[in-house]
Amino acid sequence: MTNLVVNFDTLHQLYRAYMPFIKPAGLFIGSTDGFVLGQSLSVVYRLPGTTEKMQFEGSVVWINPLGAPGGRPAGIGVKIVSEPDMHKHHIEQLLSHELSSSDLTCTM
């Protein structure tokens, strides 16, 4: 299993990384490393405004290669597998005002 560490320093970074269309929840993680669909990951992340680190097990469900269309960054979309509702709640609570934004994200 691959281990990743991600820090979301701003709400804008978190908004661009959140993937609400992945059910039950997903996050985009910028990376130029090679991943394959279905790959299992362990992700440690920190949300904006906190020092607490959270952790989940996930799987790769999306890949943006280098040079992706629309200037989107290289990286992967990770479906949150372990305790997805808890992670989704924490993320959406922070993004409650941002979720209706029309700003582009890292994936769509």
Side-chain angles (χ1 to χ4, degrees), residues 18-42:
Y18 184 50
M19 300 175 78
F21 54 90
I22 302 296
K23 301 299 180 202
L27 283 173
F28 180 83
I29 298 171
S31 177
T32 57
D33 295 342
F35 293 92
V36 295
L37 291 174
Q39 184 173 347
S40 295
L41 304 170
S42 176

mmCIF file of all heavy atoms in Angstrom, residues 18-42:
data_model
loop_
_atom_site.group_PDB
_atom_site.id
_atom_site.type_symbol
_atom_site.label_atom_id
_atom_site.label_comp_id
_atom_site.label_asym_id
_atom_site.label_seq_id
_atom_site.Cartn_x
_atom_site.Cartn_y
_atom_site.Cartn_z
ATOM 1 N N TYR A 18 -11.563 18.752 -3.620
ATOM 2 C CA TYR A 18 -12.706 17.945 -3.200
ATOM 3 C C TYR A 18 -13.451 17.416 -4.426
ATOM 4 O O TYR A 18 -13.683 18.135 -5.392
ATOM 5 C CB TYR A 18 -13.638 18.766 -2.315
ATOM 6 C CG TYR A 18 -14.790 17.974 -1.758
ATOM 7 C CD1 TYR A 18 -14.575 16.756 -1.118
ATOM 8 C CD2 TYR A 18 -16.087 18.435 -1.878
ATOM 9 C CE1 TYR A 18 -15.633 16.031 -0.598
ATOM 10 C CE2 TYR A 18 -17.158 17.710 -1.352
ATOM 11 C CZ TYR A 18 -16.919 16.510 -0.722
ATOM 12 O OH TYR A 18 -17.959 15.789 -0.224
ATOM 13 N N MET A 19 -13.832 16.156 -4.376
ATOM 14 C CA MET A 19 -14.509 15.497 -5.496
ATOM 15 C C MET A 19 -15.875 14.988 -5.015
ATOM 16 O O MET A 19 -16.038 13.801 -4.713
ATOM 17 C CB MET A 19 -13.644 14.345 -6.030
ATOM 18 C CG MET A 19 -12.276 14.801 -6.520
ATOM 19 S SD MET A 19 -11.192 13.428 -7.020
ATOM 20 C CE MET A 19 -11.878 13.067 -8.632
ATOM 21 N N PRO A 20 -16.887 15.870 -4.934
ATOM 22 C CA PRO A 20 -18.188 15.461 -4.393
ATOM 23 C C PRO A 20 -18.922 14.456 -5.269
ATOM 24 O O PRO A 20 -19.839 13.789 -4.803
ATOM 25 C CB PRO A 20 -18.967 16.775 -4.286
ATOM 26 C CG PRO A 20 -18.330 17.673 -5.287
ATOM 27 C CD PRO A 20 -16.883 17.273 -5.335
ATOM 28 N N PHE A 21 -18.519 14.318 -6.529
ATOM 29 C CA PHE A 21 -19.170 13.367 -7.424
ATOM 30 C C PHE A 21 -18.661 11.944 -7.208
ATOM 31 O O PHE A 21 -19.228 10.996 -7.741
ATOM 32 C CB PHE A 21 -18.985 13.779 -8.888
ATOM 33 C CG PHE A 21 -17.556 14.002 -9.284
ATOM 34 C CD1 PHE A 21 -16.784 12.965 -9.775
ATOM 35 C CD2 PHE A 21 -16.986 15.262 -9.151
ATOM 36 C CE1 PHE A 21 -15.461 13.177 -10.128
ATOM 37 C CE2 PHE A 21 -15.666 15.480 -9.510
ATOM 38 C CZ PHE A 21 -14.898 14.428 -9.994
ATOM 39 N N ILE A 22 -17.591 11.771 -6.430
ATOM 40 C CA ILE A 22 -17.131 10.439 -6.042
ATOM 41 C C ILE A 22 -17.926 10.036 -4.813
ATOM 42 O O ILE A 22 -17.934 10.741 -3.811
ATOM 43 C CB ILE A 22 -15.616 10.436 -5.715
ATOM 44 C CG1 ILE A 22 -14.787 10.919 -6.897
ATOM 45 C CG2 ILE A 22 -15.168 9.061 -5.229
ATOM 46 C CD1 ILE A 22 -14.855 10.047 -8.122
ATOM 47 N N LYS A 23 -18.602 8.921 -4.888
ATOM 48 C CA LYS A 23 -19.447 8.480 -3.771
ATOM 49 C C LYS A 23 -18.765 7.361 -3.014
ATOM 50 O O LYS A 23 -18.248 6.438 -3.630
ATOM 51 C CB LYS A 23 -20.816 8.021 -4.282
ATOM 52 C CG LYS A 23 -21.570 9.094 -5.029
ATOM 53 C CD LYS A 23 -21.842 10.290 -4.170
ATOM 54 C CE LYS A 23 -22.611 11.350 -4.957
ATOM 55 N NZ LYS A 23 -22.502 12.664 -4.452
ATOM 56 N N PRO A 24 -18.704 7.444 -1.714
ATOM 57 C CA PRO A 24 -19.317 8.452 -0.874
ATOM 58 C C PRO A 24 -18.506 9.749 -0.756
ATOM 59 O O PRO A 24 -19.069 10.787 -0.455
ATOM 60 C CB PRO A 24 -19.437 7.768 0.492
ATOM 61 C CG PRO A 24 -18.380 6.735 0.501
ATOM 62 C CD PRO A 24 -18.163 6.326 -0.935
ATOM 63 N N ALA A 25 -17.179 9.714 -1.014
ATOM 64 C CA ALA A 25 -16.375 10.934 -0.938
ATOM 65 C C ALA A 25 -15.042 10.704 -1.635
ATOM 66 O O ALA A 25 -14.563 9.567 -1.720
ATOM 67 C CB ALA A 25 -16.135 11.336 0.516
ATOM 68 N N GLY A 26 -14.442 11.801 -2.116
ATOM 69 C CA GLY A 26 -13.154 11.677 -2.773
ATOM 70 C C GLY A 26 -12.358 12.969 -2.720
ATOM 71 O O GLY A 26 -12.920 14.050 -2.575
ATOM 72 N N LEU A 27 -11.043 12.841 -2.826
ATOM 73 C CA LEU A 27 -10.129 13.980 -2.849
ATOM 74 C C LEU A 27 -9.136 13.814 -3.991
ATOM 75 O O LEU A 27 -8.683 12.701 -4.278
ATOM 76 C CB LEU A 27 -9.330 14.066 -1.539
ATOM 77 C CG LEU A 27 -10.040 14.607 -0.318
ATOM 78 C CD1 LEU A 27 -9.137 14.460 0.914
ATOM 79 C CD2 LEU A 27 -10.417 16.072 -0.511
ATOM 80 N N PHE A 28 -8.783 14.929 -4.625
ATOM 81 C CA PHE A 28 -7.746 14.950 -5.630
ATOM 82 C C PHE A 28 -6.426 15.253 -4.938
ATOM 83 O O PHE A 28 -6.345 16.163 -4.105
ATOM 84 C CB PHE A 28 -8.034 16.018 -6.690
ATOM 85 C CG PHE A 28 -6.990 16.075 -7.755
ATOM 86 C CD1 PHE A 28 -7.042 15.202 -8.828
ATOM 87 C CD2 PHE A 28 -5.948 16.976 -7.675
ATOM 88 C CE1 PHE A 28 -6.066 15.235 -9.814
ATOM 89 C CE2 PHE A 28 -4.972 17.025 -8.655
ATOM 90 C CZ PHE A 28 -5.029 16.148 -9.725
ATOM 91 N N ILE A 29 -5.397 14.494 -5.295
ATOM 92 C CA ILE A 29 -4.078 14.694 -4.714
ATOM 93 C C ILE A 29 -3.092 14.909 -5.861
ATOM 94 O O ILE A 29 -2.928 14.023 -6.714
ATOM 95 C CB ILE A 29 -3.656 13.481 -3.860
ATOM 96 C CG1 ILE A 29 -4.657 13.315 -2.700
ATOM 97 C CG2 ILE A 29 -2.235 13.652 -3.345
ATOM 98 C CD1 ILE A 29 -4.492 12.035 -1.916
ATOM 99 N N GLY A 30 -2.513 16.086 -5.893
ATOM 100 C CA GLY A 30 -1.547 16.403 -6.931
ATOM 101 C C GLY A 30 -0.300 15.546 -6.799
ATOM 102 O O GLY A 30 0.235 15.389 -5.697
ATOM 103 N N SER A 31 0.144 14.976 -7.918
ATOM 104 C CA SER A 31 1.340 14.137 -7.905
ATOM 105 C C SER A 31 1.767 13.848 -9.345
ATOM 106 O O SER A 31 0.933 13.719 -10.227
ATOM 107 C CB SER A 31 1.058 12.815 -7.191
ATOM 108 O OG SER A 31 2.195 11.979 -7.238
ATOM 109 N N THR A 32 3.065 13.729 -9.536
ATOM 110 C CA THR A 32 3.576 13.299 -10.835
ATOM 111 C C THR A 32 4.055 11.850 -10.771
ATOM 112 O O THR A 32 4.583 11.327 -11.744
ATOM 113 C CB THR A 32 4.733 14.210 -11.304
ATOM 114 O OG1 THR A 32 5.758 14.202 -10.302
ATOM 115 C CG2 THR A 32 4.248 15.629 -11.558
ATOM 116 N N ASP A 33 3.884 11.199 -9.622
ATOM 117 C CA ASP A 33 4.243 9.788 -9.483
ATOM 118 C C ASP A 33 3.284 8.937 -10.304
ATOM 119 O O ASP A 33 2.160 9.351 -10.603
ATOM 120 C CB ASP A 33 4.182 9.347 -8.014
ATOM 121 C CG ASP A 33 5.221 10.042 -7.144
ATOM 122 O OD1 ASP A 33 6.194 10.596 -7.696
ATOM 123 O OD2 ASP A 33 5.050 10.036 -5.913
ATOM 124 N N GLY A 34 3.707 7.747 -10.641
ATOM 125 C CA GLY A 34 2.862 6.841 -11.404
ATOM 126 C C GLY A 34 1.904 6.070 -10.505
ATOM 127 O O GLY A 34 2.319 5.485 -9.506
ATOM 128 N N PHE A 35 0.636 6.110 -10.826
ATOM 129 C CA PHE A 35 -0.399 5.373 -10.103
ATOM 130 C C PHE A 35 -1.242 4.631 -11.120
ATOM 131 O O PHE A 35 -1.262 4.971 -12.301
ATOM 132 C CB PHE A 35 -1.299 6.326 -9.303
ATOM 133 C CG PHE A 35 -0.599 7.013 -8.162
ATOM 134 C CD1 PHE A 35 -0.009 8.253 -8.335
ATOM 135 C CD2 PHE A 35 -0.523 6.415 -6.920
ATOM 136 C CE1 PHE A 35 0.639 8.896 -7.296
ATOM 137 C CE2 PHE A 35 0.126 7.043 -5.863
ATOM 138 C CZ PHE A 35 0.705 8.287 -6.056
ATOM 139 N N VAL A 36 -1.968 3.624 -10.656
ATOM 140 C CA VAL A 36 -2.879 2.889 -11.525
ATOM 141 C C VAL A 36 -4.270 2.891 -10.891
ATOM 142 O O VAL A 36 -4.411 2.952 -9.660
ATOM 143 C CB VAL A 36 -2.409 1.432 -11.769
ATOM 144 C CG1 VAL A 36 -1.098 1.408 -12.531
ATOM 145 C CG2 VAL A 36 -2.285 0.657 -10.476
ATOM 146 N N LEU A 37 -5.292 2.843 -11.746
ATOM 147 C CA LEU A 37 -6.659 2.787 -11.240
ATOM 148 C C LEU A 37 -6.819 1.572 -10.337
ATOM 149 O O LEU A 37 -6.317 0.491 -10.636
ATOM 150 C CB LEU A 37 -7.653 2.729 -12.393
ATOM 151 C CG LEU A 37 -7.760 4.000 -13.230
ATOM 152 C CD1 LEU A 37 -8.673 3.778 -14.423
ATOM 153 C CD2 LEU A 37 -8.250 5.174 -12.393
ATOM 154 N N GLY A 38 -7.505 1.781 -9.220
ATOM 155 C CA GLY A 38 -7.734 0.703 -8.263
ATOM 156 C C GLY A 38 -6.640 0.532 -7.230
ATOM 157 O O GLY A 38 -6.791 -0.248 -6.287
ATOM 158 N N GLN A 39 -5.530 1.246 -7.381
ATOM 159 C CA GLN A 39 -4.412 1.125 -6.442
ATOM 160 C C GLN A 39 -4.849 1.546 -5.049
ATOM 161 O O GLN A 39 -5.508 2.571 -4.858
ATOM 162 C CB GLN A 39 -3.251 1.992 -6.913
ATOM 163 C CG GLN A 39 -2.004 1.878 -6.071
ATOM 164 C CD GLN A 39 -0.832 2.637 -6.684
ATOM 165 O OE1 GLN A 39 -0.861 3.047 -7.844
ATOM 166 N NE2 GLN A 39 0.208 2.822 -5.897
ATOM 167 N N SER A 40 -4.477 0.773 -4.042
ATOM 168 C CA SER A 40 -4.803 1.082 -2.647
ATOM 169 C C SER A 40 -3.795 2.073 -2.077
ATOM 170 O O SER A 40 -2.592 1.959 -2.323
ATOM 171 C CB SER A 40 -4.800 -0.187 -1.800
ATOM 172 O OG SER A 40 -5.823 -1.051 -2.209
ATOM 173 N N LEU A 41 -4.320 3.020 -1.305
ATOM 174 C CA LEU A 41 -3.486 4.064 -0.711
ATOM 175 C C LEU A 41 -3.866 4.270 0.746
ATOM 176 O O LEU A 41 -5.007 4.038 1.145
ATOM 177 C CB LEU A 41 -3.700 5.399 -1.426
ATOM 178 C CG LEU A 41 -3.487 5.467 -2.921
ATOM 179 C CD1 LEU A 41 -3.978 6.792 -3.451
ATOM 180 C CD2 LEU A 41 -2.028 5.272 -3.251
ATOM 181 N N SER A 42 -2.906 4.756 1.506
ATOM 182 C CA SER A 42 -3.160 5.274 2.838
ATOM 183 C C SER A 42 -2.808 6.758 2.774
ATOM 184 O O SER A 42 -1.694 7.125 2.384
ATOM 185 C CB SER A 42 -2.288 4.565 3.873
ATOM 186 O OG SER A 42 -2.496 5.142 5.146
#
